[in-house]
């Protein structure tokens, strides 16, 4: 995990916009204890048919909340072996699938005791909708479902920065937070990333806040920007600085992916 040490405050950073910082995948007691002093949430998978009550309770006991990804609650892939490809709201056009509204109602009933803002910071309604070829109308339908639970639980939709400039990219108008993810880059120096952030701001609504996702893993793909793993602290500090200077930022999340071959 990457620990970010805040730099001395300058006048441009005196009004810190970032409110939330946390990792994906901190779910064991030892991991939660390791990061509790400097994170306020942990990003976890929700899954249809599975309870999240125990995890939410353990996180709350450490002063943390959950950001719950709904990808395995509401959505189904055309091909489960493809990370992207075409995804859809479950049961729409596929008779063998349980309908997404039924899945949602069942999952909410199973986890109702913790589906409030004391335990949950946000629902990550879907990640990479453009790469998954999901229509904006379906994303907005899913956001609307999530927003019925508790008005103080935020809704988040995240895409890769490389998706922002594609012709199919659209911002769901009813999501509270719009996420933008970038990996194996130096955000302060990467022109394509900075252009995507600028373009995103022209496409989103003025009240929608930006959630930034950065790398918390290291492998061969990083060696151009960080020849040694120790160099990743510089990258982490750049992310903190970049997000801190964005008045529309709300959250910074270092993501580590356990299923990437060759990445650590």
């Amino acid at each position: 995990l990457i620990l970010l040490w805040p730099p001395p405050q300058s006048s441009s950073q005196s009004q810190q916009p970032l409110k939330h910082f946390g990792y994906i995948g901190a779910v064991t007691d030892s991991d939660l204890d390791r990061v509790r002093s400097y994170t306020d949430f942990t990003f976890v998978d929700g899954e249809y048919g599975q309870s999240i009550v125990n995890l939410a309770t353990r996180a709350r006991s450490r002063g943390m909340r959950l950001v719950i990804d709904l990808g395995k609650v509401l959505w189904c892939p055309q091909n489960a072996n493809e990370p992207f490809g075409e995804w859809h709201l479950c049961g729409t056009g596929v008779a063998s699938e349980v309908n997404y509204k039924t899945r949602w109602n069942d999952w909410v009933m199973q986890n109702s005791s913790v589906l409030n803002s004391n335990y949950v910071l946000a629902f990550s309604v879907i990640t990479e909708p453009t790469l998954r070829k999901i229509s904006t109308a379906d994303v907005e339908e899913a956001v609307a479902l999530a927003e019925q639970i508790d008005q103080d639980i935020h809704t988040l939709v995240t895409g890769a920065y490389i998706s922002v400039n594609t012709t199919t990219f659209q911002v769901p108008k009813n999501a509270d937070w719009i996420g933008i993810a970038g990996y194996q880059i130096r955000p302060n120096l990467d022109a394509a990333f900075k252009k995507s952030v600028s373009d995103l701001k022209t496409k989103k609504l003025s009240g929608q806040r930006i959630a930034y996702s950065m790398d918390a893993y290291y492998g061969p793909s990083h060696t151009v920007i960080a020849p040694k793993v120790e160099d990743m602290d510089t990258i982490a500090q750049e992310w903190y600085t970049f997000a801190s200077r964005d008045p529309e930022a709300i959250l910074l999340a270092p993501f580590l992916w356990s299923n990437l071959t060759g990445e650590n």
Side-chain angles (χ1 to χ4, degrees):
L1 300 180
I2 302 167
L3 178 59
L4 305 188
W5 295 100
Q9 289 288 311
S10 66
S11 59
S12 64
Q13 291 180 292
S14 59
Q15 299 298 319
Q16 171 60 265
L18 286 175
K19 301 298 182 185
H20 307 290
F21 181 80
Y23 293 93
I24 187 174
V27 295
T28 66
D29 286 344
S30 60
D31 283 346
L32 291 170
D33 287 338
R34 183 180 179 185
V35 302
R36 64 184 297 182
S37 66
Y38 66 99
T39 67
D40 70 331
F41 74 88
T42 183
F43 186 108
V44 302
D45 278 336
E47 189 159 354
Y48 177 60
Q50 295 190 10
S51 173
I52 207 163
V53 173
N54 178 268
L55 175 55
T57 303
R58 289 188 290 110
R60 188 188 182 201
S61 72
R62 292 163 171 83
M64 302 164 66
R65 289 186 286 174
L66 304 184
V67 174
I68 305 176
D69 189 84
L70 301 180
K72 296 179 181 178
V73 178
L74 297 174
W75 305 92
C76 290
Q78 296 292 99
N79 182 348
N81 296 318
E82 291 292 333
F84 297 113
E86 294 188 20
W87 286 58
H88 56 272
L89 287 167
C90 294
T92 54
V94 182
S96 61
E97 296 171 351
V98 178
N99 184 268
Y100 70 97
K101 289 184 178 179
T102 300
R103 290 168 65 105
W104 177 246
N105 291 334
D106 289 347
W107 185 81
V108 167
M109 183 175 298
Q110 183 178 23
N111 295 289
S112 59
S113 62
V114 297
L115 295 184
N116 58 70
S117 59
N118 291 323
Y119 293 87
V120 182
L121 172 64
F123 290 124
S124 171
V125 177
I126 188 63
T127 59
E128 310 292 2
T130 302
L131 293 178
R132 299 185 201 274
K133 298 181 176 63
I134 298 173
S135 72
T136 304
D138 282 356
V139 174
E140 291 178 342
E141 166 70 12
V143 169
L145 270 183
E147 288 181 335
Q148 294 174 7
I149 300 302
D150 184 329
Q151 63 179 3
D152 292 323
I153 297 177
H154 303 282
T155 49
L156 167 67
V157 175
T158 301
Y161 79 95
I162 58 174
S163 298
V164 173
N165 298 318
T166 62
T167 57
T168 55
F169 177 84
Q170 291 182 301
V171 173
K173 301 304 183 184
N174 56 346
D176 298 318
W177 300 346
I178 306 301
I180 184 167
Y183 308 107
Q184 300 125 34
I185 63 171
R186 295 186 61 179
N188 289 341
L189 302 177
D190 193 285
F193 173 74
K194 290 194 287 187
K195 183 178 187 304
S196 289
V197 171
S198 177
D199 289 347
L200 177 61
K201 291 187 175 188
T202 67
K203 296 178 180 181
K204 73 177 187 63
L205 299 178
S206 59
Q208 293 176 310
R209 304 295 295 275
I210 295 179
Y212 287 101
S213 301
M214 54 175 274
D215 11 27
Y217 60 96
Y218 181 79
S221 55
H222 285 93
T223 54
V224 173
I225 60 165
K228 299 178 296 183
V229 67
E230 292 81 7
D231 298 326
M232 290 299 290
D233 64 351
T234 301
I235 308 302
Q237 188 64 70
E238 286 191 15
W239 274 104
Y240 175 83
T241 301
F242 188 96
S244 294
R245 292 175 176 172
D246 182 351
E248 297 184 89
I250 189 70
L251 176 149
L252 179 61
F255 276 26
L256 53 93
W257 305 104
S258 60
N259 61 345
L260 290 185
T261 304
E263 306 289 0
N264 302 296

